[in-house]
Amino acid sequence: MLKYILKRLGQTLIVIVIVVVAVFFLTSMLPGDPVYIIAGDATLTPEEYDVVYKELLLDKPIYERFFIWLGNFISGDFGRSYLYNVPVKDVILSRVGITVYFSVLSLILSIIFGVLFGIICAVNRGKVVDTILTLVANIASCLPQFWIGLILLFAFCIKHQILPSLGFGWPGKVGWATHIKTSIMPIVCLSFGSIASYVRQTRSSMLEVIKQDFVRTARSKGVPEKKVIFKHVMKNGLIPIVTITGNRLAMLLGGSMFVETVFNIPGLGALMMKSVLGRDIPTIQAMVILLTLVSCLAYILTDVMYVIVDPRISIVSRRE
């Protein structure tokens, strides 16, 4: 186990190095002058322009700028945001809590409802409930998040005016009632597609396990059906569910971009969108590397979970 984890961490380090190099040089080729991006609408004199130009190290060769930037980045200095004129680290820290909150809550709800509905479909294969849930799951998995968000806004904010359309606040600031109202639609929007994926994967994996000989043997011995489903079938059908959980965990932080933009939630997704549109290069660089790191760690955690769920699996032999 330790050998495998060290090997995966080494692979992760290689990926991060490639991403770091690529993101710096690609963002350096973006159109636009960073000096005027920082200045905004302000008119700069040639002297003021030269001062900012040298502060950004634009007078140095690009390879020299890269090593200076890399040294600062490793030490925890991600630069200063062009849009907010504060350290990028402070901007990210002020927003990461909101994104993690929505992502974790969405993941938990997706697992609970997705696995539950998947079990119902598998147990009732070919029946009306299976047909309806499978059809809804297939349709839901094809719908983009931003489209679901717009439909929710139209239905519950514009037409019926049941929920507030934009914004987010923590319970300590706006109260639980307002907090819940502002959180319902974003959570539903983030969870809808994930629940559909869990339903389809759980149904498929359980139907495959149900056909196995040990399940028929357990039933022939008179084992209660509930025990057969939850002890034998679910235990052996969890690996595909663990896989999709790792994928969802890796995608949630980046996938919240459109949802946070639609509902005007000040999280990392909205920050990434604004940074790209505003050509905030230091923030883009930090966000891309952060998302890469989270994705790599999520996939490592997924592989470790395989062994926890089913000790019969040897990670080393499976990978090698």
Side-chain angles (χ1 to χ4, degrees):
M1 174 72 75
L2 180 60
K3 179 182 177 182
Y4 170 73
I5 293 176
L6 292 175
K7 179 181 177 181
R8 293 288 279 123
L9 289 175
Q11 294 172 347
T12 299
L13 181 61
I14 294 174
V15 171
I16 292 175
V17 169
I18 294 173
V19 171
V20 166
V21 174
V23 74
F24 177 82
F25 286 99
L26 289 176
T27 53
S28 298
M29 293 187 292
L30 288 174
D33 191 333
V35 177
Y36 287 111
I37 294 174
I38 295 175
D41 296 331
T43 302
L44 296 177
T45 64
E47 293 76 13
E48 293 172 334
Y49 179 91
D50 289 338
V51 171
V52 179
Y53 191 83
K54 291 181 180 179
E55 287 179 354
L56 297 177
L57 305 178
L58 296 176
D59 57 326
K60 299 182 180 298
I62 189 169
Y63 65 86
E64 187 174 344
R65 297 206 312 268
F66 169 73
F67 287 109
I68 295 174
W69 170 82
L70 182 61
N72 293 334
F73 198 94
I74 294 174
S75 65
D77 181 8
F78 304 152
R80 198 170 188 86
S81 170
Y82 293 170
L83 295 178
Y84 301 97
N85 197 28
V86 296
V88 172
K89 182 165 60 176
D90 294 342
V91 179
I92 293 176
L93 289 176
S94 66
R95 293 168 176 258
V96 67
I98 297 175
T99 298
V100 171
Y101 170 75
F102 278 108
S103 299
V104 172
L105 189 56
S106 170
L107 184 62
I108 293 173
L109 293 175
S110 299
I111 294 173
I112 293 174
F113 288 104
V115 172
L116 176 61
F117 292 149
I119 294 173
I120 293 173
C121 290
V123 173
N124 298 277
R125 181 184 183 185
K127 297 182 181 180
V128 176
V129 64
D130 175 37
T131 302
I132 294 175
L133 289 177
T134 303
L135 177 62
V136 173
N138 289 334
I139 296 174
S141 62
C142 301
L143 300 177
Q145 287 182 337
F146 72 90
W147 188 85
I148 298 173
L150 294 175
I151 294 298
L152 293 175
L153 282 175
F154 174 78
F156 295 101
C157 303
I158 298 175
K159 188 173 183 179
H160 297 290
Q161 298 181 355
I162 299 174
L163 298 173
S165 59
L166 302 173
F168 170 80
W170 293 107
K173 294 184 178 181
V174 300
W176 278 102
T178 303
H179 170 75
I180 293 174
K181 289 180 179 179
T182 56
S183 302
I184 289 176
M185 289 191 295
I187 290 175
V188 170
C189 193
L190 282 170
S191 305
F192 201 63
S194 296
I195 291 175
S197 298
Y198 276 105
V199 170
R200 299 171 64 193
Q201 189 62 65
T202 302
R203 180 184 183 275
S204 176
S205 60
M206 286 192 63
L207 288 177
E208 184 176 348
V209 175
I210 285 175
K211 299 175 183 178
Q212 301 298 319
D213 292 336
F214 69 88
V215 176
R216 287 194 291 268
T217 302
R219 284 173 171 166
S220 66
K221 289 181 178 180
V223 178
E225 186 65 18
K226 289 184 179 180
K227 190 174 182 180
V228 172
I229 295 298
F230 289 100
K231 183 178 180 180
H232 298 283
V233 178
M234 275 298 299
K235 184 177 180 180
N236 289 274
L238 274 178
I239 293 179
I241 299 173
V242 171
T243 302
I244 196 173
T245 299
N247 293 336
R248 289 292 167 182
L249 185 62
M251 294 170 57
L252 273 174
L253 292 181
S256 63
M257 181 184 303
F258 298 109
V259 174
E260 291 179 358
T261 302
V262 169
F263 295 104
N264 195 26
I265 297 173
L268 293 181
L271 174 63
M272 187 65 173
M273 180 70 77
K274 291 180 180 178
S275 300
V276 172
L277 295 177
R279 297 174 185 172
D280 190 350
I281 294 176
T283 305
I284 295 173
Q285 293 170 339
M287 286 293 299
V288 171
I289 295 172
L290 173 64
L291 293 177
T292 302
L293 181 61
V294 170
S295 298
C296 292
L297 293 179
Y299 289 125
I300 293 175
L301 180 61
T302 301
D303 285 339
V304 173
M305 285 297 294
Y306 285 145
V307 175
I308 296 176
V309 171
D310 190 349
R312 295 172 300 175
I313 297 177
S314 171
I315 291 182
V316 177
S317 62
R318 183 166 58 85
R319 290 296 180 181
E320 296 179 348

